[in-house]
Every structure is written in C-alpha cells, then in structure tokens.
Amino acid sequence: MIQLFRKLRKNLLSEGKTGQYLKYALGEIALVVIGILIALQINNWNESIKDNNALNEYLGKIRSHTGEDLHQLDTITKYRSQMANVCKKARTRILDKTEDEDLLLLMSCGVAFADYYFKANTGGYDALRNSGYYGKINTTPLDSLLTKYHSLVEEIAENEKSYNDYVLNQEAYLSTHFDTSLILASAFLPPDSLALRATPQSEYYEVFAAYTATPSYRNVIGLAAFQFETMVNQYKQLKNVGENVVNEIDAITND
C-alpha cells in the first residue's frame, strides 16, 4: 500500500499536480499513524493479558493459602471451644468451692497450658504486596477484604501471644514448686502401665489435688475460660472474612 502511494506521488509530481500530491502524502502519513496506533493497541492488549495472568497467579496463591488458613481455623476453633467449656465448668466449681467433688474436671484443664496458636500463611499476600501488581486491586472490594483479613490475623496473634506468655510464666512458677514427674506420668502413660508401678493411684490424685489447688493453676483456668471465648469469636470473624476473600478471588479470576 505504501509503495502504491509512493508511485502515485511520483507520477503526480511529474505531472505537476501538487494539490493531489499533498493529499496522497497526507494519506500516507495517516496510514502510517494508524498502523502505529494499531501496533500500540495490540502491544497494550498483550501487556494487559500478561499482567492479568501474573495477577491471577498471585491471587491463586492467596486463595490456596487462605483455604489452608480456613482449615486450620476449623481445628483450632473446635479445640478452643471445647477447652473454654471445660474451663468454665472448672471455674464454676472453684467459685462454688466444690472442686474437690470433681478432681478429674480440674485435671483435664491442664491442656489449657498447651502452647497452641493460629499461624496464618501470608506468603501469597506478602508476595503480591511486594510485586508491581498490587495496584491493580487497589481500592477494590478484594483490597478491603485482604486488609481486614490480615488486620484480624495480627489481632489474633497479639491475643494468643498475651495468653501464651501468661501461661508460660505461671507454668514456670509451678515447675519450680512441684515435682511434676507423677503428674506427667499420669497424664501421658497408659493406665495399664501405671498399674505396674509401685506408686499407688491415690498418690497420683494427691499430687494432682495439690497442683490444681495452686493459684497459678487456677489463674490459667480463669483466664482460659474468658480469653478462649474471645479467641473463638476472632477465629469465626476471620473465617467469615476469609471465605469472602476466596469468593472474591474466584469472581475475579473467572471473569
């Protein structure tokens, strides 16, 4: 097409048709400009597809990691809920001064000393934030959901750290005032194995009764009865937001 324009221009110049020559020259320029614009548009379109594919890869990782978090939340919510109920019953016994009637209940509260916590997988989210693609979801519903999600993750971490640090301090005190060998044996060895030992069952109960009567042990029971409920509520909030994150990512990547 351009060669045709050039041939026509040459003929027009040789024939002295300057006006028509200018028209053909302008047509050639317009054709070149249109060609450049089309090329730029195709390049932008290709870049847009490339960027969207890269963004979807990041979002896919976030979706996968959020799914792992949701599974972990189900497990820890069940554990904390069960222990909150047990510790509330034990707290009631303590307040009613009837704990001696149900020593096994107070003994079962020993699991409240376990160093148990929720650990979110933030790898996908951190990778997206450190990439050049985070701006593509800025001010979108997904951006708000991810901000809220990770804000809750930080709140949960602080709450759990507060509880676990307190428990560790109380446990450290107990370990310096009690020989916990009988307590650990009773808690972890099979009953048949304990029956073969020289220590009678009554002695295990005596040690447990003294152990569970300490302020440190009961402080942990009281804190767990209160704080586990707070943790469970936070887990449920996080699960709700996490499910919305997954749904929003599905809506974006399936478009």
Side-chain angles (χ1 to χ4, degrees), residues 123-183:
Y125 179 68
D126 292 338
L128 176 60
R129 285 187 62 85
N130 293 327
S131 73
Y133 298 101
Y134 190 82
K136 286 186 169 293
I137 66 167
N138 195 29
T139 71
T140 65
L142 179 59
D143 182 22
S144 298
L145 286 170
L146 287 172
T147 300
K148 185 175 181 180
Y149 185 86
H150 289 278
S151 177
L152 281 170
V153 166
E154 292 178 1
E155 290 179 19
I156 288 172
E158 291 176 2
N159 199 9
E160 288 183 330
K161 184 178 185 304
S162 172
Y163 174 81
N164 288 330
D165 287 350
Y166 180 80
V167 168
L168 286 173
N169 289 332
Q170 299 302 309
E171 194 171 28
Y173 172 83
L174 288 169
S175 66
T176 61
H177 290 75
F178 280 87
D179 179 358
T180 59
S181 57
L182 293 182
I183 293 174

Side-chain angles (χ1 to χ4, degrees), residues 22-235:
L22 291 175
K23 290 180 181 179
Y24 279 109
L26 290 173
E28 183 178 346
I29 293 172
L31 184 63
V32 171
V33 170
I34 291 172
I36 293 173
L37 291 175
I38 292 174
L40 288 173
Q41 185 63 32
I42 293 173
N43 182 66
N44 291 338
W45 182 66
N46 288 333
E47 286 297 320
S48 178
I49 292 176
K50 180 181 176 182
D51 288 347
N52 286 336
N53 289 338
L55 176 62
N56 286 345
E57 286 185 13
Y58 283 110
L59 296 181
K61 290 181 181 179
I62 293 174
R63 188 193 188 287
S64 177
H65 294 165
T66 304
E68 295 172 7
D69 290 351
L70 295 178
H71 179 72
Q72 186 186 167
L73 283 169
D74 286 339
T75 301
I76 195 170
T77 298
K78 181 178 180 180
Y79 166 78
R80 295 287 193 198
S81 297
Q82 290 174 343
M83 285 315 305
N85 291 332
V86 171
C87 289
K88 282 191 288 185
K89 291 178 181 178
R91 181 183 60 188
T92 299
R93 284 286 189 181
I94 293 170
L95 294 175
D96 291 342
K97 297 187 181 300
T98 59
E99 62 268 34
D100 293 339
E101 299 175 13
D102 198 350
L103 179 59
L104 290 177
L105 175 63
L106 266 72
M107 289 167 59
S108 66
C109 291
V111 292
F113 284 81
D115 188 14
Y116 207 69
Y117 55 90
F118 169 73
K119 179 64 176 176
N121 188 340
T122 63
Y125 179 68
D126 292 338
L128 176 60
R129 285 187 62 85
N130 293 327
S131 73
Y133 298 101
Y134 190 82
K136 286 186 169 293
I137 66 167
N138 195 29
T139 71
T140 65
L142 179 59
D143 182 22
S144 298
L145 286 170
L146 287 172
T147 300
K148 185 175 181 180
Y149 185 86
H150 289 278
S151 177
L152 281 170
V153 166
E154 292 178 1
E155 290 179 19
I156 288 172
E158 291 176 2
N159 199 9
E160 288 183 330
K161 184 178 185 304
S162 172
Y163 174 81
N164 288 330
D165 287 350
Y166 180 80
V167 168
L168 286 173
N169 289 332
Q170 299 302 309
E171 194 171 28
Y173 172 83
L174 288 169
S175 66
T176 61
H177 290 75
F178 280 87
D179 179 358
T180 59
S181 57
L182 293 182
I183 293 174
L184 293 174
S186 180
F188 296 105
L189 292 179
D192 293 344
S193 176
L194 289 177
L196 299 175
R197 308 279 75 86
T199 304
Q201 186 69 47
S202 59
E203 189 169 334
Y204 291 112
Y205 283 132
E206 288 176 6
V207 172
F208 260 114
Y211 191 76
T212 59
T214 60
S216 292
Y217 190 89
R218 298 186 177 202
N219 287 341
V220 171
I221 292 176
L223 182 61
F226 164 74
Q227 199 155 350
F228 279 7
E229 281 192 332
T230 301
M231 292 179 185
V232 167
N233 288 332
Q234 288 179 322
Y235 299 149

